[in-house]
């Protein structure tokens, strides 16, 4: 049975209080398109104002620490994100894996902390262009899944986002055949790891999703949603992607 699609935005280090009108418009579009789940990961400074501006709409963070508290300057715990108003958290985004040298083992600890603390985890994986060129994309990504997705994850508390690093913010996307091949491999790896529960974990595609390609990408087999960066910042760009997910 097809899973309900999740169309999630990742605002990265963008947005200020002036952007709350965009959140409100996106939340209104989410309400008008109940065929898809919709969520936005905002900078931590915007979690509380965004959650207040759009009650009932899924607002999330973009990273968390696995510890509940302690000497971790600049980090946020799952309980802090929750108290601020988050209902989910993105972990292991390739920008954090690169900029902050996060390993899959650390990503797994973050995801485990998130789900233990009742935040849904969106766990990101994806190969570099060099890895794809070397024919290693499937092996790299399934390895990241094995090492980043905690045993015990469920369809209710976890989604995975396949984001080829070379497609993020570049305007380039893999062919639908390559997306289908990767999502099928991820599904098989999730079932290997989680058993039957692996059939219910949504696998999002991310990397230069926009209004003009959303319909096609969102209807590739085993694509259960999208993680969208640049095109999630403005409701005018994001709403057509929500509509594509709801179709
Ligand atoms: C992302 O950062 O998760 C992303 C997919 O970015 P973009 O949509 O801008 O490529």
């Amino acid at each position: 049975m097809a899973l309900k699609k999740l169309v999630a935005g990742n605002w990265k280090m963008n947005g200020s209080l002036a952007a709350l009108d965009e959140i409100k418009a996106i939340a209104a579009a989410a309400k008008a398109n109940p065929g898809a789940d919709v969520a936005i990961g905002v900078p931590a400074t915007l979690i509380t104002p965004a959650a207040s501006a759009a009650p009932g709409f899924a607002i999330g963070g973009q990273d968390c620490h696995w510890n509940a508290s302690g000497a971790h300057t600049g980090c946020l715990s799952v309980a802090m994100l929750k108290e601020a108003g988050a209902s989910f958290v993105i972990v292991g985004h390739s920008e954090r894996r690169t900029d902050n040298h996060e390993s899959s083992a650390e990503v797994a600890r973050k995801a485990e902390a998130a789900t233990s603390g009742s935040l849904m985890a969106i766990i990101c994986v994806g190969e570099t262009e060099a890895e794809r060129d070397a024919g290693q994309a499937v092996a790299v990504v399934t390895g990241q899944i094995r090492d980043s997705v905690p045993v015990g994850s469920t369809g209710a508390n976890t989604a995975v986002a396949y984001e080829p690093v070379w497609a993020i913010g570049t305007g380039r996307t893999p062919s639908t055949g390559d997306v289908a091949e990767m999502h099928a491999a991820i599904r098989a790896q999730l079932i290997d790891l989680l058993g039957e529960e692996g059939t219910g974990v949504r696998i999002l595609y991310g990397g230069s999703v926009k209004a003009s390609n959303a319909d096609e990408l969102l209807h590739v087999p085993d694509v259960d949603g999208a993680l969208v960066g640049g095109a999630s910042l403005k409701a005018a760009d994001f709403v057509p992607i929500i509509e594509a997910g709801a179709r």
Side-chain angles (χ1 to χ4, degrees), residues 9-207:
N10 173 17
W11 276 19
K12 312 191 188 193
M13 198 171 71
N14 296 294
S16 64
L17 293 175
L20 291 180
D21 282 348
E22 300 297 334
I23 295 279
K24 286 186 205 163
I26 290 166
K31 219 173 225 168
N33 289 276
D37 290 329
V38 184
I40 299 276
V42 295
T45 49
L46 285 183
I47 293 174
T48 299
S52 307
F57 179 70
I59 295 294
Q62 301 172 8
D63 180 47
C64 64
H65 200 282
W66 52 81
N67 282 339
S69 61
H72 303 290
T73 302
C75 298
L76 294 172
S77 71
V78 168
M80 288 168 179
L81 292 173
K82 242 192 119 183
E83 186 175 56
S87 58
F88 75 97
V89 63
I90 298 166
V91 292
H93 191 282
S94 70
E95 287 152 13
R96 292 201 62 85
R97 288 179 187 259
T98 302
D99 296 353
N100 302 76
H101 311 290
E102 289 185 9
S103 67
S104 289
E106 290 169 322
V107 173
R109 293 182 78 182
K110 290 175 183 220
E112 176 124 49
T115 58
S116 300
S118 306
L119 288 187
M120 186 186 75
I122 299 180
I123 303 171
C124 302
V125 295
E127 83 283 1
T128 63
E129 186 159 33
E131 288 163 343
R132 177 156 287 274
D133 289 347
Q136 297 166 347
V138 169
V140 165
V141 170
T142 53
Q144 288 175 333
I145 292 286
R146 191 189 54 236
D147 297 339
S148 307
V149 176
V151 172
S153 300
T154 70
N157 67 23
T158 301
V160 161
Y162 166 55
E163 302 201 298
V165 177
W166 52 272
I168 293 177
T170 60
R172 296 166 59 204
T173 54
S175 69
T176 52
D178 284 345
V179 173
E181 180 194 32
M182 187 63 82
H183 280 232
I186 292 172
R187 177 66 66 211
Q189 185 65 57
L190 287 171
I191 292 169
D192 201 47
L193 203 60
L194 307 174
E196 184 61 22
E197 201 58 52
T199 63
V201 173
R202 290 183 283 196
I203 307 171
L204 319 183
Y205 168 77

Side-chain angles (χ1 to χ4, degrees), residues 1-2 36 56 71 81 83 111 130 137 149 161 164 181 198 205 219-220 222 224 233 240:
M1 208 186 76
L81 292 173
E83 186 175 56
V149 176
E181 180 194 32
Y205 168 77
H219 293 95
V220 170
D222 261 321
D224 308 308
L233 292 170

